[in-house]
Amino acid sequence: MDLAASGAQLLPVTPLLGVVTAVLLLAAVAVAGRGLLGHGHAVLRAGLRAVAQLAAVAAVITWVVGSLWWSALFVLVMFSVAVRTAGRRMTPGPGWVWAAAPIGAGVLPVLALLLGVGLLPAKGLSVIPVAGILIGGALTATSLAGRRALDELQQRRGEVEAALALGFEEREARLEICRTAAATSLVPALDQTRTVGLVTLPGAFVGMLIGGASPVQAGAVQLFVLVGLLAVESVAIVVVLELVGRGRVTVGSFDVVR
């Protein structure tokens, strides 16, 4: 039996898969609730939203990928949702719209490079999944970096004011306090890259193997994905820090430093 044929049996789509998925979701809700994590309802909502969204995507994706223009619009929708999600995770204030800057700054140059040199065919079936991976990484880095930076500024407000009293500019004072906390947002991507093949076999690698690619081809593509994510997320974190340092993204309707 060849690799593609055997891989096709990985998690067969049957009613049993739906039942097990539902059980796992309920277990996650129960654990989050009983463990007083404060996210029981959020876990349930996230699971139900995933069902609805994946069903919608499955219904339209075949039609969308047939047109480059519709594919570009689909990517724009993904980008817009990522901006709102990351922005709202960072701050409830109007500054959430600035999340477009770190996500765009990280993703657009990489996509432009891939399309420009011809590594990424200008086809929806190629552009959509690659853009989705990169946007997802930028979303995570942006929301984590923004939230951690703002939390750090709130908790260490006195140190910010002390730095100002010593003659620091507001941007410098903020960055001096929150840079280290925000930088830890890159740790998940670093850990994933360091342990790939030893702890996990990521989706791109497994997907290509199931599709019939050789292990070398799958490994090369997965390596690109991991390195691309490191680049995208590093840029996103740096831009988030700059926005926080300049007071564009704040805790709410007021700044941490007045």
Side-chain angles (χ1 to χ4, degrees), residues 30-44:
V31 171
R34 296 288 294 179
L36 302 178
L37 302 182
H39 294 292
H41 289 92
V43 170
L44 179 60

Side-chain angles (χ1 to χ4, degrees), residues 152 156 175-185 241:
E152 194 77 356
R156 301 171 63 184
L175 293 180
E176 186 70 22
I177 299 303
C178 71
R179 181 181 283 111
T180 300
T184 61
S185 303
L241 277 169

Side-chain angles (χ1 to χ4, degrees), residues 3-252:
L3 185 59
S6 62
Q9 299 304 309
L10 178 67
L11 292 180
V13 181
T14 65
L16 180 60
L17 179 61
V19 172
V20 172
T21 302
V23 170
L24 289 175
L25 176 59
L26 293 176
V29 172
V31 171
R34 296 288 294 179
L36 302 178
L37 302 182
H39 294 292
H41 289 92
V43 170
L44 179 60
R45 287 195 300 270
L48 295 178
R49 282 188 60 175
V51 171
Q53 290 165 191
L54 288 174
V57 169
V60 303
I61 193 69
T62 302
W63 175 67
V64 168
V65 297
S67 166
L68 183 58
W69 292 109
W70 281 112
S71 298
L73 180 61
F74 192 84
V75 171
L76 182 60
V77 171
M78 290 194 295
F79 176 80
S80 300
V81 173
V83 168
R84 181 172 178 81
T85 301
R88 290 299 189 186
R89 184 69 67 183
M90 287 193 297
T91 174
W96 70 265
V97 296
W98 282 101
I103 296 176
V107 173
L108 292 179
V110 176
L111 280 181
L113 174 64
L114 292 175
L115 290 169
V117 301
L119 279 175
L120 184 65
K123 299 178 180 179
L125 194 59
S126 301
V127 172
I128 289 177
V130 172
I133 292 171
L134 298 178
I135 292 172
L139 183 161
T140 300
T142 298
S143 60
L144 285 177
R147 188 66 267 155
R148 289 174 181 176
L150 293 175
D151 285 347
E152 194 77 356
L153 288 178
Q154 277 191 303
Q155 294 170 9
R156 301 171 63 184
R157 183 168 182 165
E159 294 178 53
V160 177
E161 294 175 347
L164 291 173
L166 291 173
F168 282 73
E169 296 291 334
E170 287 193 6
R171 173 183 172 276
E172 296 172 344
R174 294 188 183 103
L175 293 180
E176 186 70 22
I177 299 303
C178 71
R179 181 181 283 111
T180 300
T184 61
S185 303
L186 194 60
V187 170
L190 287 171
D191 286 345
Q192 184 181 30
T193 304
R194 287 169 177 157
T195 61
V196 64
L198 300 176
V199 177
T200 61
L201 294 177
F205 183 85
V206 175
M208 288 195 67
L209 288 180
I210 292 175
S214 71
V216 173
Q217 291 173 320
V221 171
Q222 184 62 65
L223 177 62
F224 156 74
V225 169
L226 292 172
V227 173
L229 284 173
L230 283 176
V232 166
E233 294 186 31
S234 296
V235 171
I237 292 169
V238 169
V239 175
V240 167
L241 277 169
E242 192 64 29
L243 291 172
V244 172
R246 294 179 180 272
R248 299 293 187 270
V249 178
T250 61
V251 177

